[in-house]
Amino acid sequence: MATKALLVRLEAKPGKESAVEEFLLSALPLVEQEPGTKPWFAVKFGPSTFGIIDAFPDDAARETHLGGPVGKALMEKADELFASPPDISYLDVLANKL
C-alpha cells in the first residue's frame, strides 16, 4: 500500500510549454524502472502549469525516487524549462484505491 506521496507543481517558462510536456513524457520509461514508485502521473493543470503526482510504500522509496534519474533530470532542466523552481510537497497517503 502507498503510504507516502509527492505532488510536484511545475510552471513552464513562456514558450517552453511543449518542452515541459516532452520532458514529462520522456520521464515515464525511467520511472517504470523504479519498483518503489507506484503510481506515477504526469499531469497538466492549465496552459503552462504541469505536475507530477506519485506514491510510494514508504519514505525510503520516496527518497530513492527523488535521488533517481527523474529527480536529477528535473533539477538539471529547472533553469531552462521552469519559471520558478519545482514546488515539491511531501504528502502522507490516508487512503487509496489503485
Side-chain angles (χ1 to χ4, degrees):
M1 177 177 135
T3 62
K4 303 296 178 186
L6 293 170
L7 170 61
V8 182
R9 292 185 65 95
L10 307 165
E11 185 65 33
K13 284 185 174 179
K16 294 291 186 174
E17 296 85 359
S18 293
V20 171
E21 284 189 36
E22 290 172 20
F23 170 78
L24 292 172
L25 291 170
S26 74
L28 181 58
L30 299 173
V31 175
E32 287 176 332
Q33 297 177 31
E34 298 178 1
T37 304
K38 293 182 182 173
W40 183 89
F41 300 97
V43 299
K44 187 172 185 178
F45 293 110
S48 63
T49 307
F50 299 85
I52 299 170
I53 303 165
D54 42 13
F56 314 90
D58 52 36
D59 284 318
R62 181 166 58 186
E63 292 305 316
T64 296
H65 172 72
L66 285 169
V70 175
K72 289 178 182 176
L74 187 67
M75 293 308 158
E76 288 172 4
K77 294 280 190 178
D79 288 341
E80 174 188 340
L81 298 177
F82 307 122
S84 57
D87 179 13
I88 302 173
S89 297
Y90 288 69
L91 311 172
D92 291 321
V93 177
L94 300 178
N96 68 64
K97 179 183 181 286
L98 303 174

